[in-house]
Amino acid sequence: QLQLQESGPGLVKPSETLSLTCTVSGDSISSSRYYWGWIRQSPGRGLQWIGTVFYTGRTYYSPSLKSRLTISIDTSKNQFSLKLSSVTAADTAIYYCARLDGGPTVQTRFDYWGQGTLVTVSS
Amino acid sequence: QSVLTQPPSVSGTPGQRVAISCSGSSSNIGSNIVNWYHHLPGAAPKLLIYTNNQRPSGVPDRISGSKSGTSASLAISGLQSGDEGQYYCASWDDRLSDWVFGGGTKLTVL
């Protein structure tokens, strides 16, 4: 059974970098079929796609976050990670990692999700 | 303000059929597929419908999806208490080059 688990600090100070890791179990992150992504949910903005990564390291970012975003993948650890720089209170949200089946963008779906982790941006 | 528009809430009694609408535009639903998700607080969101009307393995056939023009709909028949929760639609937006989601619909089984 595929499982995804987010981990990382629950509190980040404004202007600092938010860092999260998603550990995948039950499937190889090196599969050429699947992509791996991040989505967040905040009270003010609802659900928002952050970005997606392939096992080769190819990334796809939301235009609204692209300038502050780095998503990477570590196939040896079966993990992928998110770094969001210069955070503000607007980045406070529940962050989910997910698997994508069907490609990186248009025709795909987020078919498995983690339970999410709350990240609060506050001094 | 979400790009895709859903009703904030719907309700029904056990056994009834409910439908949840999702309205978009030519740059998202009008051009691309729609997926639907079910979400309970504290749990992982679950994929219910993909590519407009396809059910993943394990999703019962009393749950169905459809799309027409710039709108989509999720229908749940034989309503059960376990169907309660939030439902979200999602589609790729060609103009924004981004995934867009509905604001969510809370389903209550009375």
Side-chain angles (χ1 to χ4, degrees):
Chain A
Q1 177 73 1
L2 177 69
Q3 290 189 321
L4 298 94
Q5 181 67 57
E6 306 88 351
S7 59
L11 182 64
V12 182
K13 290 182 169 54
S15 80
E16 294 190 346
T17 296
L18 181 160
S19 297
L20 295 174
T21 296
C22 181
T23 301
V24 178
S25 58
D27 192 11
S28 172
I29 205 169
S30 299
S31 166
S32 60
R33 170 173 174 174
Y34 301 112
Y35 292 71
W36 307 91
W38 290 97
I39 304 102
R40 69 182 184 181
Q41 182 176 32
S42 61
R45 294 201 57 166
L47 286 166
Q48 180 185 17
W49 172 62
I50 299 171
T52 296
V53 64
F54 196 43
Y55 79 99
T56 58
R58 171 75 193 270
T59 54
Y60 308 79
Y61 293 158
S62 170
S64 64
L65 296 170
K66 186 175 182 177
S67 64
R68 300 190 289 131
L69 185 61
T70 302
I71 295 177
S72 59
I73 193 163
D74 187 337
T75 55
S76 68
K77 295 181 179 178
N78 229 38
Q79 296 176 334
F80 61 104
S81 299
L82 159 72
K83 290 187 187 299
L84 184 66
S85 64
S86 305
V87 297
T88 69
D91 295 308
T92 293
I94 299 173
Y95 286 75
Y96 298 95
C97 59
R99 189 181 78 173
L100 290 80
D101 184 9
T105 54
V106 182
Q107 300 297 324
T108 197
R109 62 263 190 189
F110 302 97
D111 66 343
Y112 283 94
W113 299 55
Q115 289 191 314
T117 186
L118 173 63
V119 178
T120 302
V121 178
S122 175
S123 55
Chain B
Q1 191 79 1
S2 300
V3 175
L4 304 182
T5 301
Q6 297 180 234
S9 63
V10 297
S11 63
T13 56
Q16 264 191 331
R17 178 185 183 275
V18 296
I20 299 172
S21 61
C22 176
S23 178
S25 68
S26 59
S27 63
N28 42 68
I29 294 178
S31 305
N32 298 308
I33 62 162
V34 177
N35 302 321
W36 289 90
Y37 301 92
H38 178 219
H39 188 208
L40 292 168
K46 177 185 176 183
L47 177 66
L48 276 187
I49 294 288
Y50 67 94
T51 313
N52 308 324
N53 55 17
Q54 302 299 300
R55 282 184 302 274
S57 171
V59 175
D61 60 6
R62 62 185 184 85
I63 295 174
S64 62
S66 63
K67 188 185 97 165
S68 178
T70 59
S71 293
S73 183
L74 176 75
I76 304 172
S77 59
L79 208 56
Q80 302 173 1
S81 59
D83 296 326
E84 288 196 326
Q86 288 279 358
Y87 290 81
Y88 297 93
C89 57
S91 183
W92 178 262
D93 192 293
D94 292 331
R95 181 177 60 84
L96 298 173
S97 294
D98 209 335
W99 277 97
V100 290
F101 293 85
T105 299
K106 183 178 181 180
L107 170 62
T108 301
V109 180
L110 302 170

